[in-house]
Amino acid sequence: MQQPLVAISTDVRQFDNYTWHAAPQQYLEAAISGAGVFPVLVPSFGERLDFDELLSSVDGVMVTGSKSNVHPSLYGGDASEKNGPYDPARDATTLPLIRRAVERGVPLLAICRGIQEMNVALGGTLGTEIQEREGTLDHRAPVSDNQDERFAIHQKVTIKPGSCLAGVFGVGEIMVNSVHRQAVDQLGPKLQIEAVADDGTVEAVSVRDSRGFAVGVQWHPEYWVKSDDTSAKIFRAFGDAVRLHAAAKSGARAAAE
C-alpha cells in the first residue's frame, strides 16, 4: 500500500558546530509503523516557507513534542528564563502551519509541545510550571536516567463522551504517560476538550467542527506505539484519516481530468 506523505515539525538545535533541523526518531518510527505514512521533515524557516504548497503536497501534519516551550510572548505569558528553553524558529513555523492545516482540513496530530502550539495557534494560552498550582498533580516525568521509566504509563485520563477520541478509545478511562510541566490554560475558541486528567488538566483537544481529523494530546503515544494498544490506536486513527484525505484528493483530481 502506498505511504501518503505527512509533514513533521522540526526543532532547531546547535551541535557539532552546525545548526540542525531535526525530529526525534520515536515520532518518525511511530509515523511509519503506527500510522503507515511517509514522514517528511519540515525545516523551521517560518514565513520563508510556502505552507499552502506544502499542504497541497502532503496528506497530513504531525507536530512533535520537544524540550523547548512555546515562547510566552505569543500568548501574553511571562517570557522568563524559568519558562524556557525556547525555539522561536519552530514557533514561527508550526503555528502558521497548524492554522493552515486546520483551515484546509488536512489531518493533524499534535503531541505534547504540539498540543500547546495548537492551542496558542488557535487563540489560547498556556499555564507554566503547573505542578506548583494547588490541587494539581505533578505531570513531570519521574526522575530517572532510564527513558522507559521516564515515559512509563502511569496516569489516568478520562475521555469525554461524544468527543472525537471517544470514537478512537471509547468513552471512559485510559492509561497514558505524563512528561510535561506546561499545559493548556485558556482554551482556544476553536477548540474543544477531548480528555482530562483527574486534577482537571486538559490532556487532549480537537478542533470544533473541523473539516478533518485535528487532535492534540498532551501525553506521548509515540513512545509505546509498538507495545501499547492505547498508544497504537491514536496513530492508526491518524493514519486512517490521512489515507482518507489522500483518497479524496485523488478522486478530486480524477474528476477534474
Side-chain angles (χ1 to χ4, degrees), residues 207-226:
V207 175
R208 187 180 291 109
D209 300 321
S210 174
R211 294 172 55 194
F213 183 98
V215 171
V217 298
Q218 187 58 73
W219 65 90
H220 285 269
E222 80 287 346
Y223 196 85
W224 299 107
V225 69
K226 293 183 178 181

Side-chain angles (χ1 to χ4, degrees), residues 5 19 23 29 35 38-39 48 54 79 125 137 169 173 177 188 228 251:
L5 304 181
T19 300
E29 179 64 42
F38 190 126
R48 296 170 63 188
L54 171 64
T125 66
L137 299 171
F169 302 117
E173 298 172 356
N177 48 25
D228 174 60

Side-chain angles (χ1 to χ4, degrees), residues 21-33:
H21 294 239
Q25 180 168 317
Q26 285 92 343
Y27 295 95
L28 308 180
E29 179 64 42
I32 297 169
S33 63

Side-chain angles (χ1 to χ4, degrees), residues 5-225:
L5 304 181
V6 167
I8 309 288
S9 60
T10 57
D11 301 327
V12 179
R13 299 292 181 90
Q14 305 289 332
F15 55 94
D16 289 344
N17 295 318
Y18 289 96
T19 300
W20 296 74
H21 294 239
Q25 180 168 317
Q26 285 92 343
Y27 295 95
L28 308 180
E29 179 64 42
I32 297 169
S33 63
V37 301
F38 190 126
V40 178
L41 298 186
V42 178
S44 291
F45 284 109
E47 63 183 12
R48 296 170 63 188
L49 303 178
D50 186 334
F51 296 113
D52 283 312
E53 183 66 25
L54 171 64
L55 293 171
S56 294
S57 302
V58 302
D59 293 298
V61 173
M62 184 190 300
V63 188
T64 68
S66 175
K67 287 186 176 180
S68 66
N69 292 324
V70 178
H71 199 279
S73 65
L74 297 170
Y75 57 89
D78 176 19
S80 66
E81 184 176 345
K82 178 183 178 183
N83 291 330
Y86 305 120
D87 187 344
R90 170 166 166 151
D91 295 339
T93 306
T94 53
L95 270 62
L97 177 58
I98 288 168
R99 285 191 285 264
R100 290 301 291 141
V102 169
E103 289 167 5
R104 294 180 56 141
V106 176
L108 169 69
L109 176 60
I111 297 170
C112 193
R113 188 195 208 269
I115 187 179
Q116 297 170 15
E117 290 165 299
M118 189 175 176
N119 192 48
V120 172
L122 299 178
T125 66
L126 303 178
T128 62
E129 306 302 336
I130 60 171
Q131 69 279 355
E132 297 177 359
R133 295 179 175 180
E134 185 176 354
T136 299
L137 299 171
D138 191 341
H139 291 262
R140 294 174 297 179
V143 178
S144 175
D145 292 329
N146 184 306
Q147 286 291 82
D148 285 357
E149 292 179 0
R150 295 186 69 250
F151 284 85
I153 294 171
H154 67 277
Q155 177 176 284
K156 183 173 66 177
V157 165
T158 302
I159 306 298
K160 295 281 189 179
S163 65
C164 173
L165 289 184
V168 176
F169 302 117
V171 177
E173 298 172 356
I174 60 172
M175 296 299 294
V176 302
N177 48 25
S178 186
V179 191
H180 65 102
R181 58 190 177 92
Q182 295 199 145
V184 169
D185 189 9
Q186 180 181 333
L187 190 68
K190 293 183 179 180
L191 296 174
Q192 59 190 6
I193 296 174
E194 293 273 323
V196 295
D198 282 348
D199 60 0
T201 297
V202 175
E203 291 288 338
V205 300
S206 66
V207 175
R208 187 180 291 109
D209 300 321
S210 174
R211 294 172 55 194
F213 183 98
V215 171
V217 298
Q218 187 58 73
W219 65 90
H220 285 269
E222 80 287 346
Y223 196 85
W224 299 107
V225 69

